[in-house]
Amino acid sequence: MSTTQKINQLVTPNNWRLRPGYLSEGDSDFESMHVLIGQFLADRHSLDPLPDTSLLIENAKFQWGYGKPLEKVINSQSDLEFLMKHPCLFRNAIAIIEPWKHVGQNPLGEDVRASLNVAYIAQKIADCDSILFPVWSSGLLDPDVVVPLITSGLAVVVEGGDPSVRDASTFEGGKCSLDDLHCLVEKLLISRSPISALALFICLGHQLAAQGHINLIKRAVQQVLSLEYLPRDRNGKMLKALKRVCQQIETVGSSLKITKRNGHLIAEGWDHPEFAVGPNEHKEVGERRLHHYQSPDAEALDIPQDLITAHEITADEYEGVIDTAIKYEREVNIAMFHSDEVNEEAILFANWAYRLLHDAIIPYRSILAGSRLAWLLKLPDAIEILCSTTIDNEIVTECSATCIIYKDFESKRIRRSFTCQFHPELLSDLRTVGTCEPPTYARLKIDDGARLFARLLYEGMQE
């Protein structure tokens, strides 16, 4: 069979590789991939330690589902069941959630399917396989099954997409609605545990995560305030403490204004559909330099000082990888591709609310663990805004990336997930592998986005 015939024939699970890895002579596993990512990050000039084999030999157009190494696509329940029977595959791979068929069009008019670049970079630098969940075409499979499965792998990447989180109608034509995506992302946000994988939310994923934080906080507040008592809560001390905090969160959340730096009011209160995500002042397409996030002026922007102070404490207490990369690299330039943005005030609010809830839970966590509110133990401890982007020295996207911080109540160990408005997997030309010459290992070595993507994987694998 010719190469042309092969790329026009969909691969079924019966033809999947059942041993992880494609380039290396042995099987790929956690240890080998961790070492290879470390070597990739060690410098910007060393040679590729993997065999110099093209990833396009058996899949000339580098398309999902049409040949190795992109054969693992979960299009149906039967595909998912087959995957579940082979744990070595999903435990040694990145799971990619694809909300839409592409993230937009680049200046050449090409649809950009950025998930292809995630798979290429991971395979090229560490021989790490990827498994695609194209929910826009498959529909949302049971998240109570999918989330535990994908979070037992190396990482979960929620990709970008062309629709808008601000408009549910933009998801029409796909098989996964905006509500479905919110359900999936909220489950991912509360799935981070000592035995779970890092989650990386990119562009649309970044915006879905922001709305997910607000949805989870609102759900927590509403459940706590609706309860009259909890079993084993002597004298109701725990519930009273939680209610005090939740009333405080509700008061601020219901009145907080979202205002652009030009004074334009976007939203007022957390029930507004654009409280978490609003329109950006300028559409950002192309390479942007990342700048350290700077705290806003509380009086000028009418943001409660408590929210700003809480974030400054978070930033001082935790390390967010992306902000450290900006500090130690000469500069970091990353591909942007968006017209909506996560609102700075919403993330400042979410960080403040999470910290209040976490501190209120600590004295009563053993009682909470056996109650109907036990899921609150899975909420993040904090969120840090890591960087911003500018155009002509004017801040355009205040919240370009965040670190979601989870602090274990017993061990005090920290785990992190990340969100970014930018696309670390795309090079500056905004083209996908298969539509252009595939980047070499040497080119990826010096690309800021690829290095940042690798750094997040590397750090996440250690947690």
Side-chain angles (χ1 to χ4, degrees):
M1 183 180 293
S2 70
T3 300
T4 302
Q5 288 174 316
K6 283 183 180 180
I7 64 174
N8 288 318
Q9 180 178 346
L10 278 166
V11 174
T12 66
N14 291 330
N15 294 321
W16 286 3
R17 290 166 294 137
L18 297 182
R19 298 171 67 179
Y22 183 77
L23 294 173
S24 58
E25 297 172 1
D27 293 348
S28 290
D29 54 28
F30 181 94
E31 287 76 17
S32 67
M33 289 183 281
H34 199 204
V35 167
L36 288 168
I37 297 173
Q39 172 62 26
F40 176 81
L41 292 168
D43 54 58
R44 290 177 177 259
H45 52 77
S46 59
L47 298 177
D48 187 352
L50 287 166
D52 187 20
T53 303
S54 171
L55 294 176
L56 280 68
I57 290 177
E58 299 177 78
N59 190 343
K61 292 187 177 180
F62 209 66
Q63 295 179 341
W64 282 112
Y66 286 91
K68 302 170 186 176
L70 300 181
E71 76 274 21
K72 298 181 179 68
V73 180
I74 309 302
N75 288 308
S76 64
Q77 181 65 30
S78 61
D79 292 342
L80 180 62
E81 291 171 358
F82 185 90
L83 179 64
M84 292 170 64
K85 294 177 182 178
H86 297 87
C88 70
L89 297 184
F90 60 79
R91 287 178 181 166
N92 293 289
I94 294 172
I96 305 174
I97 305 296
E98 197 176 50
W100 198 247
K101 52 190 172 184
H102 60 78
V103 303
Q105 290 192 329
N106 63 23
L108 296 175
E110 299 168 338
D111 291 344
V112 179
R113 196 172 187 183
S115 60
L116 292 167
N117 284 32
V118 171
Y120 182 87
I121 293 171
Q123 204 86 54
K124 187 67 177 174
I125 70 174
D127 204 20
C128 175
D129 291 343
S130 296
I131 302 170
L132 183 72
F133 290 76
V135 295
W136 60 272
S137 62
S138 67
L140 182 62
L141 302 176
D142 187 352
D144 288 331
V145 174
V146 170
V147 170
L149 183 140
I150 62 179
T151 56
S152 64
L154 295 178
V156 179
V157 176
V158 180
E159 253 297 350
D162 199 32
S164 171
V165 173
R166 301 184 296 116
D167 185 355
S169 68
T170 59
F171 290 85
E172 292 175 359
K175 294 185 178 180
C176 188
S177 69
L178 179 57
D179 284 343
D180 288 339
L181 287 169
H182 283 316
C183 174
L184 176 61
V185 166
E186 286 163 31
K187 285 186 178 295
L188 281 171
L189 288 174
I190 57 174
S191 69
R192 194 74 167 99
S193 73
I195 56 172
S196 74
L198 158 91
L200 174 59
F201 302 86
I202 298 175
C203 201
L204 179 64
H206 167 73
Q207 297 162 16
L208 288 166
Q211 185 62 60
H213 292 309
I214 303 305
N215 292 347
L216 289 170
I217 292 167
K218 287 176 70 174
R219 187 189 310 166
V221 168
Q222 290 163 0
Q223 286 189 15
V224 169
L225 295 181
S226 68
L227 292 176
E228 295 183 2
Y229 75 98
L230 279 172
R232 297 168 297 283
D233 178 18
R234 292 183 181 180
N235 303 317
K237 287 183 65 177
M238 182 189 76
L239 189 55
K240 287 177 183 176
L242 283 176
K243 281 193 172 187
R244 280 195 301 271
V245 165
C246 287
Q247 286 165 351
Q248 188 178 359
I249 292 171
E250 184 180 50
T251 298
V252 174
S254 61
S255 62
L256 183 62
K257 295 178 181 179
I258 308 296
T259 308
K260 294 292 183 181
R261 289 178 183 255
N262 61 11
H264 179 57
L265 179 65
I266 296 294
E268 186 169 358
W270 62 1
D271 289 326
H272 193 284
E274 294 185 352
F275 180 82
V277 179
N280 208 355
E281 291 95 330
H282 302 279
K283 184 173 183 177
E284 287 197 281
V285 177
E287 194 169 78
R288 290 287 182 271
R289 181 180 175 183
L290 300 184
H291 300 269
H292 278 289
Y293 174 73
Q294 301 294 327
S295 292
D297 185 321
E299 293 184 6
L301 296 178
D302 195 24
I303 301 173
Q305 184 61 50
D306 285 352
L307 274 59
I308 295 172
T309 301
H311 185 268
E312 290 172 342
I313 294 171
T314 294
D316 184 73
E317 186 175 355
Y318 301 107
E319 192 269 312
V321 181
I322 296 174
D323 54 343
T324 305
I326 297 171
K327 179 179 179 180
Y328 288 112
E329 298 283 357
R330 176 175 52 85
E331 59 181 57
V332 177
N333 295 288
I334 306 284
M336 278 287 196
F337 208 141
H338 71 109
S339 56
D340 290 342
E341 67 169 330
V342 169
N343 294 320
E344 175 185 27
E345 299 94 330
I347 299 303
L348 294 175
F349 166 76
N351 170 69
W352 170 79
Y354 277 145
R355 293 195 69 123
L356 285 182
L357 285 167
H358 189 273
D359 291 349
I361 287 169
I362 287 174
Y364 309 104
R365 62 187 184 275
S366 61
I367 301 173
L368 199 71
S371 77
R372 69 188 75 177
L373 295 177
W375 73 275
L376 299 183
L377 297 170
K378 299 187 287 186
L379 290 172
D381 172 61
I383 313 173
E384 181 186 355
I385 303 175
L386 302 173
C387 56
S388 305
T389 58
T390 61
I391 295 179
D392 297 328
N393 295 319
E394 177 189 351
I395 296 176
V396 176
T397 304
E398 291 87 355
C399 182
S400 289
T402 73
C403 176
I404 309 170
I405 299 144
Y406 301 81
K407 188 173 184 180
D408 188 81
F409 284 96
E410 299 305 309
S411 70
K412 313 304 180 188
R413 292 189 61 183
I414 303 300
R415 298 176 300 279
R416 296 166 296 183
S417 287
F418 298 89
T419 79
C420 50
Q421 183 62 70
F422 49 81
H423 284 270
E425 77 282 24
L426 295 180
L427 304 187
S428 58
D429 58 11
L430 300 179
R431 304 189 75 189
T432 53
V433 177
T435 63
C436 62
E437 187 69 22
T440 62
Y441 184 85
R443 184 181 177 190
L444 293 175
K445 266 270 197 180
I446 62 173
D447 183 81
D448 289 343
R451 293 184 67 82
L452 188 55
F453 176 72
R455 175 68 64 187
L456 295 176
L457 288 181
Y458 188 71
E459 296 282 345
M461 290 174 74
Q462 297 178 53
E463 296 176 357

